[in-house]
Amino acid sequence: MATVKQDRMDSILTKEISRILQFELKNPKLGFVTVTDVQCTRDMSQAKVYVSFLGQQERNDAGMKILNQSKGFIRSTIAKNVKMRKVPELIFVQDTSLEQGRKIEKIIQEINEKEA
């Protein structure tokens, strides 16, 4: 069960990381990335950052590599812009829920077409 403090921190980090990725992280190989969710641990020592990419899996893998290489820059930028005692360690996780949703939708559509 997340606390109000955790929810607020998740929201702040989601907005700030999205802003950093869009405007400050200058790497053309990153491609189009969206921060879909951030979940901080209770002690605020770690934050799982769920990201989704537009494109093929190879490009997604390259994007994840760039994000992991840029963790230090992203954390230090958060520290400069957001007033918090300690910026949590960032753990980037590829969010595949959109992809799974599309697959399920396609299967349902195929079933409906067979029944029609």
Side-chain angles (χ1 to χ4, degrees):
M1 180 77 190
T3 63
V4 173
K5 182 180 176 184
Q6 272 178 291
D7 288 342
R8 193 169 56 231
M9 187 55 63
D10 293 350
S11 176
I12 290 168
L13 287 174
T14 301
K15 287 178 188 149
E16 186 61 19
I17 294 168
S18 295
R19 190 192 64 73
I20 292 167
L21 295 180
Q22 189 174 3
F23 299 112
E24 296 192 35
L25 192 62
K26 307 260 190 286
N27 192 325
K29 292 179 187 166
L30 185 60
F32 188 78
V33 61
T34 304
V35 177
T36 56
D37 193 22
V38 175
Q39 295 176 346
C40 290
T41 55
R42 281 193 181 277
D43 62 357
M44 304 290 176
S45 64
Q46 293 182 328
K48 278 190 179 175
V49 182
Y50 292 89
V51 293
S52 130
F53 294 90
L54 202 62
Q56 301 299 319
Q57 189 57 47
E58 305 84 53
R59 192 173 179 123
N60 299 356
D61 295 339
M64 286 300 292
K65 188 176 180 185
I66 291 165
L67 289 176
N68 285 314
Q69 290 169 345
S70 306
K71 279 181 187 180
F73 170 77
I74 296 168
R75 274 185 81 186
S76 63
T77 306
I78 292 169
K80 278 185 241 166
N81 297 334
V82 179
K83 297 232 182 292
M84 53 184 3
R85 245 184 294 169
K86 182 177 180 267
V87 177
E89 177 192 341
L90 303 176
I91 300 165
F92 288 99
V93 180
Q94 193 168 344
D95 185 353
T96 56
S97 61
L98 286 171
E99 187 74 27
Q100 290 170 336
R102 276 193 224 115
K103 285 180 186 174
I104 292 169
E105 211 170 84
K106 186 178 177 188
I107 291 168
I108 291 170
Q109 188 177 2
E110 287 171 4
I111 291 170
N112 288 337
E113 286 172 2
K114 285 178 185 173
E115 290 177 354

